[in-house]
């Protein structure tokens, strides 16, 4: 199928969104080579970053789809673009933490790397002008992120399901999933759909053996080897994605025989 890139709709920090000619129900997302931190106070870029993040997001979404988690992905095109379903985005970033790190470790003065007894789900109000502040459930309702507590509970349950899938997928690639952020939207039927991206920009990933950071913290904290780490994550995920695909094939052949 041919996808023709239409008018630019929006340029964000990591992606540009375009219309798809003849398909008002889709948007084309171009993953940029730029990377930012601290609400774009710190800016950088490296060659091929957009292509790596598109490939990583695509593999993650395909893996999750097989586990019954729908995403906005329609198709990959070129090296750094993805056609997606156009969603009504919820004004919230949902963060899941398995190990304390980053802002929540700092907030409570607990050492980074402290494992949590159970995954912690947090909501942040998605508004760059306010620097995406943490919000309680009641604040989320006040700000009309969702209409009811049961809808907020549904977001938490989707986020925890995503966490289980990601723990398996990243775990098989020798990566420890410390925490991650997702964005969700509603489609025309009102179903909650996983959107945006899942990449080293939006996850903390530590090498299982060495504990080395393999994500955007390398850029945030000036640790060096940013491009090399994203490349390594993409390569490892490719291996475990191919393995998971051949396992699925073997299982379906077993069922048939
Ligand atoms: P930001 O807007 O934070 O700078 P990006 O550069 O990644 O981030 O821009 C992508 C934008 O597209 C985000 O605002 C995100 O909420 C939005 N988005 C992601 N997926 C979809 C979708 N399926 N439908 C509509 N908007 C989306
Ligand atoms: P935090 O510890 O800084 O709150 O980040 C938690 C997770 O969310 C981490 O994996 C990085 C990701 N994240 C984003 O994807 N976008 C953001 O704007 C922020 C602040 C964090
Ligand atoms: N996403 C934010 C930014 O791009 C913050 C971060 O990821 O650290 O500035």
């Amino acid at each position: 199928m041919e996808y023709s890139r239409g008018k630019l709709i929006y340029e964000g920090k990591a992606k540009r969104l375009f219309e798809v000619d003849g398909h008002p129900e889709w948007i084309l997302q171009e993953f940029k080579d730029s990377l930012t931190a601290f609400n774009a106070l710190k800016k950088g870029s490296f060659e091929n970053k957009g292509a790596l993040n598109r490939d990583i997001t695509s593999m993650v979404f395909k893996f999750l789809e097989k586990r019954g988690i729908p995403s906005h992905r329609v198709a990959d095109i070129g090296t750094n673009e993805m056609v997606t379903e156009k969603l009504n985005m919820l004004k919230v970033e949902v963060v899941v933490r398995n190990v304390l790190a980053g802002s929540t470790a700092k907030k409570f003065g607990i050492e980074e790397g402290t494992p949590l007894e159970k995954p912690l789900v947090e909501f942040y109000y998605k508004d760059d002008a306010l620097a995406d502040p943490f919000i309680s459930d009641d604040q989320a309702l006040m700000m009309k992120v969702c209409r009811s507590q049961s809808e907020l509970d549904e977001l938490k349950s989707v986020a925890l399901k995503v966490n289980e899938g990601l723990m398996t997928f990243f775990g098989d690639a020798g990566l420890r999933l410390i925490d991650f952020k997702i964005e969700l939207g509603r489609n025309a039927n009102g179903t909650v759909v996983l959107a945006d991206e899942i990449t080293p920009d939006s996850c903390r990933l530590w090498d299982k053996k060495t504990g080395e950071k393999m994500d955007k913290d390398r850029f945030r904290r000036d640790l060096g080897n940013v491009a090399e780490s994203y490349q390594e994550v993409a390569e490892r995920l490719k291996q475990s994605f191919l393995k998971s695909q051949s396992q699925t094939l073997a299982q379906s052949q077993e069922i048939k025989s």
Side-chain angles (χ1 to χ4, degrees), residues 67 69 94-98 118-121 153-167 180 182:
R67 297 175 68 109
I69 303 166
V94 187
V95 170
V96 180
R97 300 179 193 273
N98 298 302
K118 61 180 187 111
L120 178 69
V121 184
D153 291 343
E154 188 193 349
L155 304 191
K156 289 184 197 175
S157 135
V158 171
L160 289 172
K161 245 175 106 178
V162 170
N163 187 42
E164 277 176 28
L166 293 184
M167 292 272 270
F180 65 92
I182 52 171

Side-chain angles (χ1 to χ4, degrees), residues 13 36-40 216 220:
K13 297 185 287 291
T36 64
F38 316 119
N39 207 9
K216 195 157 107 174
R220 292 191 189 98

Side-chain angles (χ1 to χ4, degrees), residues 116-167:
L116 292 163
E117 275 170 29
K118 61 180 187 111
L120 178 69
V121 184
E122 297 171 342
F123 293 135
Y124 291 83
Y125 188 62
K126 191 173 160 48
D127 186 333
D128 276 350
L130 301 173
D132 302 338
F134 173 89
I135 47 172
S136 68
D137 285 25
D138 284 350
Q139 287 174 343
L141 294 176
M142 178 191 88
M143 292 308 289
K144 307 251 182 309
V145 164
C146 284
R147 282 171 306 189
S148 63
Q149 183 63 46
S150 70
E151 286 187 5
L152 284 181
D153 291 343
E154 188 193 349
L155 304 191
K156 289 184 197 175
S157 135
V158 171
L160 289 172
K161 245 175 106 178
V162 170
N163 187 42
E164 277 176 28
L166 293 184
M167 292 272 270

Side-chain angles (χ1 to χ4, degrees), residues 10 14-15 17 27 29 31 53-54 57-58 61 71-73 82 84-85 87 89 93 126 181-185 193-199 201-202:
Y10 171 83
K15 294 189 280 305
L17 309 187
I27 47 179
Q29 309 212 5
F31 289 68
N53 272 4
R54 195 288 307 270
T57 298
S58 182
F61 283 168
S71 84
H72 68 173
R73 181 181 171 279
M82 186 184 285
T84 67
E85 200 179 349
L87 300 171
M89 295 301 288
E93 297 194 343
K126 191 173 160 48
K181 178 270 302 184
I182 52 171
E183 293 184 29
L184 301 158
V193 175
L194 180 58
D196 205 53
E197 64 176 89
I198 296 186
T199 63
D201 281 9
S202 62

